[in-house]
Amino acid sequence: MADAKVIPFGEEPRSRRAGRRAQGRGSKSSSAAASSAASSASEPASPSEPSSQPPSGPGPGRHSLSSVPEQPDAVEDRMTDEKHGPNDAPEPGAPRHGDSSWDRRLAEGLAFLRRRVTGDYEVDEFGYDKELTDQVLMSLIRPLYENYFRVEVKGIENIPSDGGALVVSNHSGTLPLDGLMMQVAVHDNHPAGRHLRLLAADLVFMLPVVNELARKAGHTLACAEDAERLLERGEIVGVMPEGFKGLGKPFGERYKLQRFGRGGFVSTALRHGVPIVPCSIVGAEEIYPMIGNSKTLARLLGFPYFPITPTFPWLGPLGALPLPTKWTIQFGEPIPTDGYPPEAAEDPMLMFNLTDQVREQIQHTLYKLLVQRRSVFF
């Protein structure tokens, strides 16, 4: 009997081990082929067998990998595009904010200059240039109104939104700055954007430069004919019946109304049936405290008075600088005149009563504002 080969316990025969090796090599080659196919198809690896190479792109019917997070600049650009839209997105390198308003102002300024040069602007029969007043003259006066005198306006709603009206105010301050401040107050605060057309004294239209500027700003001669023509056109007309008596009164008589003339403004309002709006201005009396009047110099210069103040003429041109007082302009309840018959304009007693009513209402409001005022300058 031939010798039998002893096989140790636990050791497999060679044929079986060779078979297992061949089967293992086949499994590995199959796994490699499957992995390669999965890589070429960009299919994400399963959790149990993670792939060492990232997929190159999404295939049909498969989910793509999550994209790389956007950078902050890209996110900002995308949000800007979504806000403005694809057609009005800001150009690269251009400022993102505030440039449109400056461009608009520049374009408006250039268009204004072009109309000035070519004469393509409108002026009414009184010489009023609305565009020049709105864009230039009001802009020059407004810093004085807002920052220097710090004008506070009350009762602007008492001025009607349409149709004519007659605004009657007290007059003071040595120089007629109160009329200009009242004009800016109506222009800047009235909800309907109305314009105040002031009636000025003859002296205003005799002075060079001042004459032209007054006409451009809408002022006209203080006469019944001009006032009636403006009221017929539905304008807001401003009148200060005290005249030079109120403008040049001594500092000791401040806020004491002078005589209101012969009541011509009441007759004008009655003829056209427009309301009379009393207006009281506090703060103008102290800008030039008039402690004296040189009548000789006034006569030589052709002025109604020549003021002497604590600073003028002692400090020269510096003395002409007004004191920065705090102003209040209050428009009172309108007094209607449309309920009177046409012949009421010729009734002297009615005109006297209405004139006294307007004067008393302005004086009473002045006293009330003075009591409420904390200080002349604050």
Side-chain angles (χ1 to χ4, degrees):
M1 184 174 179
D3 295 336
K5 183 179 180 180
V6 179
I7 300 176
F9 180 77
E11 182 179 353
E12 294 182 352
R14 291 181 180 179
S15 60
R16 188 176 296 179
R17 288 201 300 269
R20 284 186 175 276
R21 291 193 190 100
Q23 186 179 0
R25 285 196 297 269
S27 300
K28 290 181 180 178
S29 61
S30 300
S31 299
S35 177
S36 175
S39 175
S40 61
S42 301
E43 183 179 359
S46 61
S48 60
E49 295 181 4
S51 176
S52 60
Q53 295 181 355
S56 59
R62 295 182 174 91
H63 299 286
S64 62
L65 294 176
S66 59
S67 59
V68 179
E70 292 182 315
Q71 299 298 323
D73 294 340
V75 174
E76 182 179 359
D77 293 340
R78 179 168 56 79
M79 294 177 64
T80 304
D81 292 341
E82 293 175 357
K83 179 180 179 181
H84 295 279
N87 296 328
D88 55 354
E91 298 180 359
R96 294 181 180 269
H97 305 287
D99 57 334
S100 58
S101 61
W102 284 106
D103 291 344
R104 186 178 65 255
R105 292 181 183 179
L106 180 60
E108 292 176 354
L110 293 176
F112 172 78
L113 292 177
R114 184 176 63 253
R115 289 191 295 270
R116 292 288 117 184
V117 173
T118 59
D120 185 18
Y121 56 91
E122 296 181 359
V123 177
D124 70 2
E125 57 182 311
F126 298 95
Y128 173 50
D129 191 336
K130 182 179 182 300
E131 184 183 40
L132 181 68
T133 301
D134 292 344
Q135 298 193 20
V136 178
L137 299 182
M138 290 293 107
S139 299
L140 294 176
I141 304 174
R142 193 169 288 114
L144 196 67
Y145 170 90
E146 294 180 347
N147 304 322
Y148 197 78
F149 293 136
R150 295 146 291 146
V151 181
E152 179 183 0
V153 180
K154 300 179 179 180
I156 192 67
E157 67 278 359
N158 291 321
I159 297 179
S161 298
D162 53 8
L166 190 66
V167 178
V168 182
S169 172
N170 60 310
H171 203 17
S172 61
T174 305
L175 292 181
L177 297 181
D178 51 356
L180 298 178
M181 297 301 106
M182 184 168 62
Q183 185 179 10
V184 179
V186 176
H187 180 276
D188 289 0
N189 294 278
H190 198 278
R194 307 216 61 182
H195 295 260
L196 182 66
R197 308 291 295 272
L198 289 171
L199 303 180
D202 300 356
L203 179 62
V204 174
F205 302 101
M206 295 171 58
L207 299 174
V209 182
V210 176
N211 169 29
E212 189 67 20
L213 291 177
R215 289 288 185 186
K216 294 290 186 183
H219 306 167
T220 188
L221 195 63
C223 62
E225 292 78 10
D226 286 1
E228 290 180 2
R229 287 160 60 194
L230 288 171
L231 291 174
E232 287 174 357
R233 295 169 51 176
E235 299 282 356
I236 302 294
V237 180
V239 61
M240 297 175 167
E242 290 181 282
F244 289 119
K245 300 187 301 294
L247 192 62
K249 64 176 175 285
F251 185 69
E253 298 180 11
R254 60 191 180 278
Y255 298 114
K256 296 179 181 179
L257 294 181
Q258 304 298 304
R259 183 173 173 266
F260 268 23
R262 292 173 293 181
F265 68 92
V266 173
S267 176
T268 302
L270 287 171
R271 286 192 179 95
H272 295 274
V274 298
I276 300 175
V277 181
C279 177
S280 303
I281 302 176
V282 168
E285 295 273 15
E286 295 89 0
I287 60 173
Y288 295 111
M290 187 171 168
I291 59 176
N293 178 19
S294 178
K295 297 182 179 180
T296 302
L297 287 175
R299 193 162 43 248
L300 290 175
L301 297 174
F303 294 159
Y305 56 88
F306 188 88
I308 297 176
T309 71
T311 58
F312 183 83
W314 323 115
L315 300 181
L318 186 61
L321 185 68
L323 296 178
T325 59
K326 177 72 171 63
W327 287 38
T328 301
I329 300 178
Q330 179 163 340
F331 298 95
E333 292 286 340
I335 300 173
T337 62
D338 53 354
Y340 295 95
E343 60 272 12
E346 307 298 332
D347 186 350
M349 185 58 64
L350 177 61
M351 287 197 305
F352 175 80
N353 291 336
L354 285 177
T355 301
D356 190 61
Q357 180 182 353
V358 174
R359 185 179 180 277
E360 288 300 322
Q361 186 169 340
I362 295 174
Q363 185 70 80
H364 177 74
T365 304
L366 287 175
Y367 288 150
K368 183 176 65 175
L369 292 176
L370 289 172
V371 171
Q372 296 173 355
R373 184 171 66 169
R374 296 178 301 170
S375 169
V376 174
F377 300 100
F378 305 102

